[in-house]
Amino acid sequence: GAGVSQSPRYKVAKRGQDVALRCDPISGHVSLFWYQQALGQGPEFLTYFQNEAQLDKSGLPSDRFFAERPEGSVSTLKIQRTQQEDSAVYLCASSLTGLGEKLFFGSGTQLSVL
Amino acid sequence: GESVGLHLPTLSVQEGDNSIINCAYSNSASDYFIWYKQESGKGPQFIIDIRSNMDKRQGQRVTVLLNKTVKHLSLQIAATQPGDSAVYFCAENSDNQGGKLIFGQGTELSVKP
């Protein structure tokens, strides 16, 4: 596609539910990143893939957060047993090669946990 | 004017004026810097980038200045337009942070017609 595509655009979950957020990066982009953005804050790094390999997951806030990119293209961020503090916008970004270059962001998934 | 606290720092300018948005970074090892623009309900959009071996880079209506001595980055927007109203983030990258982009807090730019 022309840009990074994320779905769903909005997700409302009851506390304790599991959610799955999808990211479709720009075709041919090797690297994929997930960021979390709280209201009024800058994006915060969650995790990074190069092809199908998850090279850095240091930003994942807890073991309830899990990301995968099994075929080196589409990625899914899964949050288990959602809590209210998980409410945020989850941004996906991709880059042509890897680290140290500009990222192209999707529009994000706004997650609200009630 | 500017305000800092629970809310984003804000900058209000008149249409047609030049805008200067500032960013301080803390990691002296950072070697790559980017400015992003984020409109409400959208993801960050790339504006301009600069590597640490440069101190100035120009794009269309935008200029980024890098002062490594005081670890300061600025974005200058010439002839600011209402469509420039958005939140602007600086981001830095360094090998000692795993090479990932680290974002600053952001500045909200409001352009008055």
Side-chain angles (χ1 to χ4, degrees):
Chain A
V4 177
S5 178
Q6 291 188 247
S7 62
R9 186 73 180 86
Y10 302 94
K11 178 69 179 177
V12 178
K14 291 183 180 178
R15 191 173 56 181
Q17 280 185 334
D18 298 349
V19 298
L21 313 180
R22 176 188 168 104
C23 173
D24 202 337
I26 294 173
S27 178
H29 277 199
V30 168
S31 296
L32 185 145
F33 299 76
W34 285 98
Y35 281 78
Q36 181 190 59
Q37 187 174 27
L39 188 64
Q41 301 292 319
E44 292 199 0
F45 172 83
L46 293 177
T47 187
Y48 155 63
F49 290 85
Q50 190 165 69
N51 295 307
E52 69 278 4
Q54 189 174 19
L55 299 185
D56 188 340
K57 52 182 182 179
S58 61
L60 296 177
S62 76
D63 59 8
R64 296 186 295 105
F65 287 70
F66 172 76
E68 60 183 5
R69 194 186 184 199
E71 298 178 357
S73 178
V74 170
S75 177
T76 303
L77 176 67
K78 298 179 179 178
I79 309 173
Q80 297 177 323
R81 304 181 303 281
T82 52
Q83 304 294 314
Q84 283 188 324
E85 61 263 28
D86 299 335
S87 296
V89 174
Y90 290 85
L91 294 164
C92 177
S94 68
S95 67
L96 185 59
T97 56
L99 301 168
E101 60 179 57
K102 64 186 176 189
L103 303 185
F104 295 86
F105 282 86
S107 293
T109 293
Q110 184 170 330
L111 173 64
S112 298
V113 182
L114 307 178
Chain B
E2 290 191 349
S3 65
V4 177
L6 295 178
H7 303 284
L8 282 172
T10 58
L11 177 64
S12 184
V13 300
Q14 202 70 36
E15 181 179 0
D17 287 351
N18 297 334
S19 302
I20 300 176
I21 300 172
N22 297 303
C23 178
Y25 64 94
S26 57
N27 187 350
S28 56
S30 292
D31 57 5
Y32 178 59
F33 304 86
I34 302 184
W35 280 100
Y36 281 93
K37 171 186 179 182
Q38 188 173 27
E39 296 173 285
S40 180
K42 297 185 179 179
Q45 176 188 359
F46 171 82
I47 301 174
I48 192 167
D49 58 1
I50 188 167
R51 297 205 177 268
S52 58
N53 60 352
M54 303 174 68
D55 52 22
K56 180 179 180 179
R57 192 168 188 216
Q58 288 184 291
Q60 188 176 10
R61 278 200 311 119
V62 294
T63 300
V64 56
L65 298 177
L66 174 62
N67 185 329
K68 293 181 287 293
T69 302
V70 295
K71 292 186 282 190
H72 184 267
L73 191 70
S74 68
L75 176 70
Q76 299 178 0
I77 306 173
T80 314
Q81 303 168 0
D84 295 326
S85 294
V87 177
Y88 290 80
F89 292 98
C90 64
E92 60 182 296
N93 171 287
S94 67
D95 287 341
N96 68 3
Q97 288 178 334
K100 50 190 176 277
L101 280 181
I102 305 297
F103 283 78
Q105 180 185 15
T107 296
E108 183 172 10
L109 175 65
S110 176
V111 182
K112 295 177 289 186

